[in-house]
Amino acid sequence: MTLQVIVGAQWGDEGKGRIVDWFAAQADFSARYNGGDNAGHTVTVGSRIFKLHLIPSGIIHPRIVAILGNGMVVNPGTLFEEMDMLRQAGISVSPERLRLSCAAHLITPAHQALDKALEAERGKGSIGTTGRGIGPAYTDKATRRGLRLADMLAPDFCDRIGDHVTEANRTLRMLEAPELDPEPVCEQYREYAGRLKPFIADTSLELHTALQAGKTVLAEGAQGTLLDIDFGTYPFVTSSSTTAPGALTGLGLGLDVACGARVVGVVKAFQTRVGSGPFPTEVFDDLALRLRGTGEHPWDEYGTTTGRPRRVGWLDGVLLKYANRINGVSELAITKLDILSGLESLQLCTAYRCEGKLLTDLPFGSADLSPYEPVYEELSGWREDVSAVRRWEDLPSEAQAYLGRIADLAGAPVRLVSVGPEREQVVNHP
Ligand code: IMP
């Protein structure tokens, strides 16, 4: 039995979609374990660009069964849009290929309205959420009044949706935000329930059975380690368990499958984040524009879900070491190395300075990074365009040195390097 976990080691947007796509070629199941349509995973196959928010990126491979795990929050409207998009691209999305956990939670328009109203109320202290209703849906889950996909099968589902909207309206009223009419929401969700029924299953049991039968399950994390509800830069985080151990609870798997699991930490060759929160190695002005791009290419640093420009900076080796520890990373996949081509020199944050001391570990986790000043090591850049390189030995020596230093800091070997958005633009370093 083989569990492979693909996890973001930064603040999300590491390029997990294309790494999942690479591993999915050899897998049987592709399973998302956290988050909802706040995620945006991009896979480029020839001239086709797939942007997936809910359905695991592995679905593009015909033999894969795609699973939406119990750790997820599901907006059925987005799900149907995505199913249509895939079908139009000739990809089969039948109940045999796509299975939704009966224990996953639903996102409704009331959650989205609450998300926006709560952000508006936070004012300057806002988190910069995606506005997709993620926080309020997980709040309902934690306070035990959430709606699960299994509830769609119950005869009184419409009443429950109505009660949920009425309850949300109480909070919206307090926040002086527009209230929702429960009737159209009930109607819409009644229709969604009819269409979703054939896809709802006990996916924990299905994955367990598959692993027992020797199948390979690829667990796809959304967001990144530094956005994890427990281990991220709290409170500037998302509301789910984004880390690799979250794959166990988010898919309903036991600890037995964790032994021998392959944990791939996906790391962008530089650092980015969207939304508010600390970012010690952030850069501005011309260098920021150089790393971010202008927005004219699909790979430029603009949010897949919201279109917001991403904040950019130098790679932070202290946070990477932390992420590798929390996830138990066994190997690294480095993405967007090609973007660094042409920079004369690169800065790599190898430690933090705090009150005259050098730190390479975070004494109090990642929540408050304000006391730390990054300490940089300067490395030579390379001029060569690396986008056509497919073998490690063909990478410029400076690029190899940069990747080697990342591996040292992280404490895990670099196995894959992506050098462009296309499926085949990968250097495999076995
Ligand atoms: P939420 O998940 O919409 O509640 O947003 C909480 C924080 O996580 C915000 O800073 C978002 O920008 C960030 N975030 C959520 N999803 C993603 C993602 O897929 N990539 C990068 N950042 C994300």
Side-chain angles (χ1 to χ4, degrees):
M1 69 186 165
T2 319
L3 175 68
Q4 301 179 341
V5 186
I6 310 294
V7 64
Q10 295 159 311
W11 279 294
D13 308 318
E14 295 91 352
K16 294 178 290 294
R18 56 123 56 256
I19 301 298
V20 167
D21 178 61
W22 197 88
F23 278 92
Q26 307 296 328
D28 302 293
F29 286 76
S30 182
R32 271 272 308 268
Y33 60 83
N34 74 293
D37 59 344
N38 49 348
H41 294 175
T42 307
V43 182
T44 307
V45 186
S47 58
R48 292 189 303 184
I49 299 178
F50 297 94
K51 287 180 194 273
L52 295 160
H53 300 282
L54 280 171
I55 299 180
S57 313
I59 191 136
I60 295 163
H61 291 266
R63 62 184 280 243
I64 283 275
V65 176
I67 301 279
L68 271 64
N70 56 278
M72 290 188 71
V73 283
V74 180
N75 177 337
T78 313
L79 183 64
F80 287 124
E81 275 172 28
E82 231 164 87
M83 288 161 84
D84 288 347
M85 180 271 289
L86 289 168
R87 285 187 183 123
Q88 274 164 22
I91 293 167
S92 152
V93 198
S94 62
E96 286 70 41
R97 291 209 66 212
L98 178 68
R99 323 282 286 142
L100 315 181
S101 167
C102 51
H105 279 246
L106 277 170
I107 291 191
T108 70
H111 290 132
Q112 291 166 324
L114 285 168
D115 195 359
K116 288 178 188 137
L118 288 164
E119 275 288 85
E121 208 219 4
R122 287 185 195 111
K124 276 195 185 144
S126 75
I127 293 166
T129 72
T130 57
R132 299 295 167 110
I134 306 296
Y138 279 112
T139 302
D140 277 356
K141 175 178 177 174
T143 51
R144 290 151 290 174
R145 57 181 187 201
L147 293 157
R148 310 210 297 178
L149 265 66
D151 295 326
M152 288 183 139
L153 310 174
D156 64 345
F157 175 59
C158 286
D159 296 341
R160 291 197 212 174
I161 285 278
D163 293 347
H164 154 75
V165 176
T166 308
E167 180 66 35
N169 277 341
R170 269 191 224 138
T171 314
L172 289 169
R173 211 172 304 138
M174 279 192 303
L175 295 168
E176 295 175 11
E179 294 177 37
L180 273 76
D181 179 357
E183 203 46 48
V185 182
C186 292
E187 266 314 300
Q188 190 176 43
Y189 275 67
R190 192 206 313 267
E191 192 251 333
Y192 286 158
R195 288 164 72 192
L196 274 188
K197 261 181 201 166
F199 295 88
I200 300 172
D202 181 351
T203 53
S204 159
L205 178 60
E206 291 189 4
L207 289 173
H208 176 80
T209 310
L211 284 163
Q212 291 291 322
K215 305 277 187 204
T216 297
V217 172
L218 196 57
E220 177 175 347
Q223 294 82 47
T225 306
L226 302 170
L227 289 173
D228 183 85
I229 183 74
D230 289 291
F231 300 106
T233 48
Y234 192 89
F236 300 102
V237 293
T238 190
S239 305
S240 66
S241 294
T242 63
T243 54
L248 299 181
T249 50
L251 294 176
L253 299 174
L255 278 177
D256 52 335
V257 301
C259 302
R262 191 171 178 182
V263 180
V264 182
V266 186
V267 182
K268 197 181 286 182
F270 49 99
Q271 206 84 15
T272 63
R273 95 172 282 175
V274 241
S276 321
F279 188 164
T281 59
E282 185 166 13
V283 300
F284 303 92
D285 304 323
D286 288 352
L287 180 57
L289 191 63
R290 169 69 180 70
L291 292 175
R292 182 185 300 121
T294 51
E296 61 198 294
H297 306 112
W299 56 85
D300 286 345
E301 295 295 342
Y302 288 78
T304 314
T305 303
T306 58
R308 292 180 288 179
R310 295 182 187 138
R311 299 158 65 194
V312 293
W314 295 117
L315 190 68
D316 190 326
V318 180
L319 292 179
L320 182 56
K321 183 181 176 197
Y322 171 78
N324 276 22
R325 171 168 65 82
I326 299 292
N327 291 303
V329 165
S330 51
E331 59 203 271
L332 299 172
I334 311 289
T335 59
K336 296 192 94 169
L337 187 74
D338 49 307
I339 300 297
L340 299 182
S341 282
L343 288 172
E344 210 155 285
S345 61
L346 304 172
Q347 308 292 327
L348 186 54
C349 170
T350 53
Y352 288 157
R353 186 173 287 113
C354 180
E355 295 174 352
K357 287 193 197 128
L358 282 186
L359 302 175
T360 54
D361 285 300
L362 298 168
F364 299 107
S366 70
D368 183 10
L369 300 177
S370 61
Y372 310 127
E373 182 199 334
V375 176
Y376 291 107
E377 183 175 307
E378 186 167 287
L379 285 94
S380 301
W382 56 92
R383 283 183 192 289
E384 296 89 331
D385 173 7
V386 293
S387 57
V389 174
R390 298 291 176 270
R391 297 185 316 171
W392 179 268
E393 53 273 29
D394 295 336
L395 284 170
S397 57
E398 296 87 352
Q400 290 184 22
Y402 182 61
L403 295 169
R405 199 64 189 100
I406 295 173
D408 287 346
L409 292 169
V414 173
R415 288 277 181 246
L416 280 187
V417 184
S418 91
V419 290
E422 288 287 339
R423 200 175 235 180
E424 70 277 8
Q425 286 183 292
V426 170
V427 175
N428 190 2
H429 186 39

